[in-house]
Amino acid sequence: MPENNSGIKISVQDEREEKIPAKKSASRPTAKIRSVARPKSTPKAKSVTQSTAKAKPAKKMLQKPTVKARVGKGGGIIKFVLAMMVPALIVGAGIYAWQNNIAKTSLTEARQEAMETEVTFEERLRNLKNKLTGVEDENQKLKEKSEEMNRRIALLDKAKIVFNDDELGFGFTYPAVFGEVVVTKTEIASGTKFIGTFSDNEKLVFGGISADLEFDKEKAVEVIAVTDNQGFMEDNGDYFFLAFNENEHEVKPAEILKTASDKKALLIDKNSFVIDPEADGLAVDIGGNVAVLLNLDSADYKGLVFMNSDFGMMPLESFKQMITSIKN
């Protein structure tokens, strides 16, 4: 607030009050003059002050009403701030509660999902254990069946069947696992040809031809089957394979066995036949097989050949053992 030279402070109303028409001046508050201590030597200060208050503009005196307004409205600002903070706190509390609720819900759902996952995993684990148990049981049953089969095979391996043919004039013992022996006789030319097979081992055969079998000499036979034989002939330690029409082919046996009747049986293969320099190739067809050539005492059938073409089915030692059981 400005001060005059005499030290008197003057307060005025807002400029808006100055603009009120003069006819309403009776209700307008008059400017209050605050008296302060001043020297008595200036008696005319009152009139000067009053005239100055009436004539001097109040533009510079607006600061005091502004201060009053600010001071008077201080409580309103606090109320305004509080009014803004309270809803904010309410909204914040609501958001916090909402987020907390969502968090709790998410946590509950996560726990539920974890429990369901755990249950599902346990169910899968139980199912897997059940399957494994089933597989183990099945494997145990298969193992038991396999052991039973092996026992039966062992019994069959030990089991023997005795075969006898009085017409052919021989008999022998063979493994029961080979099944039944089937002998087929075929009339050809002037004689008979026979072939013996096993129902469960087609790789083992035996055969021969009758003593009276002859072929027309005009019909040349280039290769003779090893089963088309009439036994063998021995001459001074040399052995000869006997075929039809008095055909003779020298053989050098790989081994000489003895039958149950104490007769010789010649173990031969393709290397056993002596090749005639004048002949074109091997006259007797034995292939890559092993055979045994032996003689019979029958009047109709003079010889017999056993041929084994699979040592997996019947090893060589088993083959020899069967030969030694022949009664001829």
Side-chain angles (χ1 to χ4, degrees):
M1 181 174 55
E3 297 182 1
N4 58 11
N5 296 328
S6 59
I8 300 175
K9 295 181 180 181
I10 302 173
S11 63
V12 296
Q13 297 296 326
D14 193 353
E15 183 180 1
R16 287 173 294 183
E17 296 178 358
E18 293 290 333
K19 293 180 181 181
I20 297 175
K23 59 181 179 180
K24 295 182 179 180
S25 60
S27 60
R28 184 179 60 188
T30 59
K32 296 181 179 181
I33 301 173
R34 297 180 180 181
S35 58
V36 293
R38 63 180 182 274
K40 294 181 179 181
S41 59
T42 56
K44 295 182 180 181
K46 183 175 181 181
S47 60
V48 173
T49 303
Q50 290 178 350
S51 61
T52 303
K54 292 180 180 180
K56 195 173 183 177
K59 291 182 181 181
K60 294 183 180 181
M61 303 303 292
L62 293 177
Q63 294 179 357
K64 190 170 184 178
T66 302
V67 172
K68 288 183 179 181
R70 289 179 182 178
V71 174
K73 293 181 181 180
I77 293 173
I78 295 173
K79 291 180 181 180
F80 175 77
V81 173
L82 292 176
M84 294 298 293
M85 290 181 62
V86 170
L89 291 174
I90 295 173
V91 172
I95 293 174
Y96 173 77
W98 175 71
Q99 290 180 343
N100 189 30
N101 186 39
I102 290 178
K104 290 181 179 179
T105 304
S106 300
L107 181 59
T108 303
E109 292 178 353
R111 288 177 179 174
Q112 183 66 27
E113 184 177 356
M115 291 176 64
E116 292 177 356
T117 302
E118 183 179 0
V119 171
T120 304
F121 175 76
E122 290 178 354
E123 290 179 354
R124 291 180 179 177
L125 185 60
R126 283 195 297 269
N127 293 335
L128 181 59
K129 288 181 178 179
N130 292 334
K131 289 181 180 179
L132 290 176
T133 303
V135 171
E136 290 177 356
D137 293 341
E138 186 176 355
N139 288 339
Q140 183 62 28
K141 291 179 181 179
L142 291 174
K143 182 179 179 180
E144 292 175 357
K145 288 182 179 180
S146 177
E147 291 176 353
E148 180 64 22
M149 289 295 294
N150 289 333
R151 283 194 293 269
R152 292 183 180 182
I153 291 173
L155 292 174
L156 288 174
D157 287 340
K158 294 178 181 179
K160 303 293 182 180
I161 295 178
V162 177
F163 170 81
N164 282 300
D165 191 316
D166 295 335
E167 183 180 357
L168 296 177
F170 76 99
F172 64 97
T173 302
Y174 67 94
V177 292
F178 292 169
E180 297 181 356
V181 174
V182 178
V183 177
T184 303
K185 296 178 180 178
T186 305
E187 300 293 332
I188 56 174
S190 60
T192 304
K193 177 179 179 178
F194 71 90
I195 290 292
T197 58
F198 297 82
S199 61
D200 293 332
N201 185 1
E202 61 181 5
K203 302 299 182 179
L204 179 64
V205 298
F206 61 87
I209 58 176
S210 61
D212 58 353
L213 190 147
E214 291 185 0
F215 285 99
D216 189 347
K217 293 182 180 180
E218 294 180 358
K219 295 179 180 180
V221 178
E222 296 180 357
V223 179
I224 301 171
V226 71
T227 53
D228 292 341
N229 74 95
Q230 294 177 345
F232 66 90
M233 179 182 69
E234 182 178 0
D235 183 14
N236 295 325
D238 294 329
Y239 299 93
F240 297 88
F241 177 92
L242 300 178
F244 50 82
N245 296 349
E246 298 181 353
N247 285 319
E248 300 175 0
H249 301 276
E250 185 178 359
V251 294
K252 295 185 179 297
E255 186 177 350
I256 299 177
L257 305 175
K258 286 292 186 72
T259 66
S261 301
D262 198 27
K263 294 183 179 180
K264 290 182 179 181
L266 309 182
L267 183 68
I268 58 176
D269 58 18
K270 65 180 181 179
N271 297 321
S272 299
F273 289 89
V274 178
I275 298 176
D276 186 354
E278 297 180 358
D280 186 12
L282 187 63
V284 179
D285 181 17
I286 190 174
N289 307 313
V290 174
V292 171
L293 178 64
L294 48 86
N295 293 326
L296 299 176
D297 287 339
S298 171
D300 296 327
Y301 298 95
K302 299 297 184 179
L304 174 68
V305 163
F306 274 86
M307 184 172 68
N308 182 16
S309 58
D310 189 348
F311 290 129
M313 291 289 294
M314 190 175 197
L316 182 59
E317 292 302 318
S318 298
F319 182 58
K320 292 179 181 181
Q321 185 178 0
M322 184 185 67
I323 298 302
T324 58
S325 71
I326 294 175
K327 295 180 179 179
N328 56 342

